[in-house]
Structures are given as structure tokens and as C-alpha cells.
Amino acid sequence: DGGITQSPKYLFRKEGQNVTLSCEQNLNHDAMYWYRQDPGQGLRLIYYSQIVNDFQKGDIAEGYSVSREKKESFPLTVTSAQKNPTAFYLCASRVGQGAPETQYFGPGTRLLVL
Amino acid sequence: RKEVEQDPGPFNVPEGATVAFNCTYSNSASQSFFWYRQDCRKEPKLLMSVYSSGNEDGRFTAQLNRASQYISLLIRDSKLSDSATYLCVVSANDYKLSFGAGTTVTVRA
């Protein structure tokens, strides 16, 4: 089955700790995205990558970092600089530039601060 | 002003009823429009794209009004399984989607 997987489903972070959220896709999509969802708010873009070895900041990149070493993988690190990390994190992918903008989402990771 | 605004609801309707709701967008350069459905604690899933001439997909009808910058979704013959949050999504360029906070619909037996 083709799709997007995210792990873990739940993640707990201690103060001052960096944590990494995994996102893998086997859809052969060029573009990948990370969003954050908070209650009562729309999804907000953290980072996106339109091609391997390239990524761009979204609207709320402070306190986060990413890498795109492989087409299939786009991990997100929540650093200790992110002061309010508790949220639902969603990874998405899309075919690529020039293709329909439809994005497909993984099942998400819920990050909680201890 | 938010890029995409939606009435959060909830819209509580009986089975078989028709429910409709809108969203407004601020960027007049927006080119692509979508409705996504999100079930509680799950990821959003594409419900349908919205085309300029309006389009239907079974019981769902989407309309676009570019002059007034709003999109609508109408659900006919509501089913219990239609209970969800519906996200209005707008794209103004080739890489970024802007999401509304969602409209919650609850269909009761």
C-alpha cells in the first residue's frame, strides 16, 4: 500500500530536550510538508521541501529544524528553543511543482510536554 | 485578518437533512480551492476540489464565488458518517496551502 507514515503516534518531551518526528512516504512524491495543528486553529506550515536536499521555512519555523536527504523521508526536529511544542504534527506530501496542489497527509504525531 | 475564515459551528443536524456552510478567503490571487474532511484526532483527507463552475460529488456540492471570495459546501441527505470537521483550503501559489480552522458538523440519529 502506498502512503505516508509518521512515527511515533504519541511523543513526550521533557524540558530542554530535542525530539525528532519521523515522516516517510512511498508515493514517489517530490514535495513534503510539516504542519502543526492547535485546537481551534487551522494547520500552520512549519517547513516544506520541494525536492531532495532543499527545504524552506514556512510560517512558524522558529524552534524547528528539518532535513531532506532522501526523497522518501522528511524528519522534523522540535528543539528546546520551541517554547510551546504541545500540538498535533502532520506531515504531508504532494506530487511536485506544476502538479495539482492536493496534499496527502500522514496520520500525525501528538507531542506532549512533560 | 486570517487568510481563510470559517464558521466553527457546530452545525447539529438530523439524519437526512441538508446542511451548508461557507468559508471566506482574503487573497484575491488564490487559484485553487479544496474541501478536506478531518475526523476527530485523525489526519485531514481530501473531500473534493472546488472548481469555478461549481461541482458535485454524490451528496456533496461545492461552489466558488470569486467576486465575493467565498467557497461553500452543501451536504444533502446527511448521514451519521458525515459527522466531522470540514476544512476549507485555499492555494495562491505552487507550494503553499492555507487552511481554515474548520467547521464542525454533527449529524444525529
Side-chain angles (χ1 to χ4, degrees), chain A residues 3-6 23-25 27 29 33-37 43-45 88-94 101-108, chain B residues 36-38 42-46 87 89 97 99:
Chain A
I4 304 173
T5 58
Q6 291 185 243
C23 177
E24 304 278 332
Q25 54 99 359
L27 300 167
H29 286 175
Y33 303 80
W34 274 105
Y35 294 91
R36 168 181 173 140
Q37 188 175 35
L43 276 67
R44 292 184 289 167
L45 182 64
F88 187 37
Y89 289 86
L90 289 156
C91 178
S93 72
R94 176 191 153 209
E101 295 95 332
T102 308
Q103 294 182 15
Y104 299 91
F105 288 86
Chain B
Y36 276 72
R37 171 196 169 123
Q38 186 173 25
K42 299 287 188 179
E43 74 273 25
K45 293 183 178 179
L46 179 67
L87 307 180
V89 184
L97 297 181
F99 289 79

Side-chain angles (χ1 to χ4, degrees), chain A residues 41-68:
Chain A
Q41 296 191 41
L43 276 67
R44 292 184 289 167
L45 182 64
I46 304 172
Y47 268 98
Y48 66 99
S49 168
Q50 300 205 76
I51 200 166
V52 174
N53 292 320
D54 185 56
F55 50 83
Q56 305 295 330
K57 292 182 179 181
D59 299 319
I60 55 164
E62 186 175 350
Y64 300 97
S65 65
V66 294
S67 62
R68 186 88 187 275

